[in-house]
Amino acid sequence: MIFDYAEALRELTIGEAGVTAIFGYCVVFFGLVLLMIVLYCTGAYFKSKDAKAEAQAKAALENVRKEVEANPLKVTPVEAPKAPGSAGHVKLHGVPDKEAAMIMAVVADKMQKPLNELHFISIKEVK
Amino acid sequence: MDVLETLKSLWEGSGFQSFFVDGGWKNLIMIAVACVLLYLGIKKKFEPLLLVGIAFGCLLVNLSYFGPESSDALYHPDLWANFLDPDHTDYHSYGAILAHGGLLDILYIGVKAGIYPSLIFMGVGAMTDFGPLISNPKSLLLGAAAQMGVFLAFFGAVCLGFTGEEAASIGIIGGADGPTAIFLTTRLAPHLLGPIAIAAYSYMALIPMIQPPLMKLLTTKKEREVKMEQNRNVTKTEKIIFPIIVAMFVILLLPSTAPLIGCLMLGNLWRECGVTERLSDTVQNALMNIVTVFLGISVGATTAADSFLNLKTLMIIVLGLTAFAFSTVGGLLVGKIMYKLTGGKVNPLIGSAGVSAVPMAARVSQMEGQKANPSNFLLMHAMGPNVAGVIGSAIAAGFLLAVFS
């Protein structure tokens, strides 16, 4: 005989097994629901902390903006220096910007030289 | 020298001769089973990291153990039977195992003492990002729901005549969590460890085949098409606090879960705290690999022909499949309830990921979601229930352990 049914049933009846199964499932739910509540609470705490920090940052930004509006500074536009090796200003004759950029990139590629080491003076469309 | 006598004694001492006496044919069947498992692990890539080791352990034990008189065997089921027999002088004596056992007996001590499953959990914790769960704590409900198979299979096993301890060990297969299944079985029904571990890992590998038909059966196309909103970002502090809270909370609730949950959360804390990268890296890689080597081969060793080839094994395989299927169904049903309650904001497919096979079950949810709606990305949403399932199955195991140990 493979199973000792009598012994198995003496240990745990089918009714008891059913109750144990339902109770066990409930315990798993209970544990994880409690954990869920804890996670919601910690999540809410961190969210409120984030919201507070964000509000403080916003308020600080608003203060700066108001201060600038109240005491406007005279800003003299300064032309940014050209990067070393920059292609500089290119005079375009009948060529849109995008096409000019493409032409410069193709030329640099064909010459196998970095674009910022080339100096383009003008690009003109020949019809 | 008597050549014939020498040849005779060589023959009598060989394993070949053992196949023809006293049920040695059972070993031949188990060797064939080991070869099939090797084929599934290597060719079909069914959980190869563990299944190849388990299969080779099975091969080794059935090549060397033909009964209590097999002194050269790598694993001795009779020694472990004495270890568990309160009336025997070797009851709970690891000394006897060390003195008389083979290589696999000694490796098996790590399984018996619950060391390997706990260390595997440590590695799992170090590899798991609990962010999706922290950002959406409702996922825990899906992880809980997906333990339905555990308790249904437990009930079914008792109805089929298994004892409470055996039924609990069989039921936990439905948690889709190999280390938890091994941990619980070694404590409650160590004689069933081989079939339970093989069933658990085989079904985990078969998740992409087991789950999709149930997912399609239980959900409508409209439900599967649902695109979920992106979860909120989780801060680093929250990720650090999470393992501490879970460890305190779950261990206080069910102290029997301490080895599993404690190791899982310690591994995760090492990952998240940002000051223990070396430890996190070691646990995720080197330690995990070493333990996998020992765990696989020593679990495989428990599949000695005498204890494996019986009707119980067949029942365990059927009950294990039932457990997996009902765990999937449980997750999907609660997913559907969430879909209704949220007015269609939750895709019920993420419910099936509540079984804790990480990340396989989440990937299956992603694939099925994308089949219904190619622009659907459910992976991160499914990872929440998936990691909740790991905690859920540990709680289920803790409950069963508390009731039956």
Side-chain angles (χ1 to χ4, degrees), chain B residues 24 66 70 75 107 141 145 186 188-189 231 240 245 255 257 259 267 300 328 362 374 405:
Chain B
F66 293 91
S70 305
Y75 179 80
L107 293 183
L141 294 177
T186 47
L188 297 183
N231 289 334
I240 293 171
I245 288 178
T257 59
T328 305
S405 64

Side-chain angles (χ1 to χ4, degrees), chain A residues 87 90 97 99-109 115 118 120 123:
Chain A
V90 186
D97 285 355
E99 278 180 26
M102 210 153 57
I103 289 164
M104 289 192 283
V106 169
V107 172
D109 184 55
L115 191 55
L118 297 174
F120 292 87
I123 298 174

Side-chain angles (χ1 to χ4, degrees), chain A residues 2-3 5 8 11-12 14 17-18 20-21 23-25 29 31-36 38-40 42-43 46-47, chain B residues 137-138 140-141 144-145 148 151 154-155 158 160-161 163 165 232 237-238 241-242 245 249 253 311-312 315 399:
Chain A
I2 294 168
F3 293 113
Y5 281 92
E11 271 197 10
L12 196 69
I14 290 177
T20 308
F23 183 57
Y25 200 34
F29 261 100
L32 291 182
V33 166
L34 281 184
L35 193 58
M36 184 179 83
V38 173
L39 286 183
Y40 268 121
T42 51
F46 280 102
K47 260 193 246 176
Chain B
K138 281 196 297 283
L140 284 160
L141 294 177
M148 182 163 86
F151 295 102
F154 161 78
F155 180 69
V158 171
L160 285 173
T163 63
E165 288 89 341
R232 75 175 175 90
T237 318
E238 276 179 278
I241 289 173
F242 176 79
I245 288 178
F249 188 74
L253 183 71
L311 189 60
K312 274 188 177 181
M315 285 179 173
F399 169 79

Side-chain angles (χ1 to χ4, degrees), chain B residues 162-175:
Chain B
F162 286 94
T163 63
E165 288 89 341
E166 289 173 338
S169 305
I170 294 166
I172 204 68
I173 297 174

Side-chain angles (χ1 to χ4, degrees), chain B residues 318-357:
Chain B
V318 174
L319 284 165
L321 181 62
T322 314
F324 254 72
F326 277 102
S327 287
T328 305
V329 169
L332 285 169
L333 290 180
V334 172
K336 279 176 84 81
I337 293 171
M338 282 183 162
Y339 169 82
K340 298 274 182 210
L341 292 179
T342 57
K345 284 183 182 168
V346 171
N347 188 322
L349 289 180
I350 65 167
S352 65
V355 300
S356 62

Side-chain angles (χ1 to χ4, degrees), chain B residues 199-218:
Chain B
Y201 281 107
S202 304
Y203 290 139
M204 276 162 67
L206 288 172
I207 275 182
M209 281 175 244
I210 296 171
Q211 287 195 325
L214 294 168
M215 292 160 99
K216 281 179 190 151
L217 190 72
L218 291 173

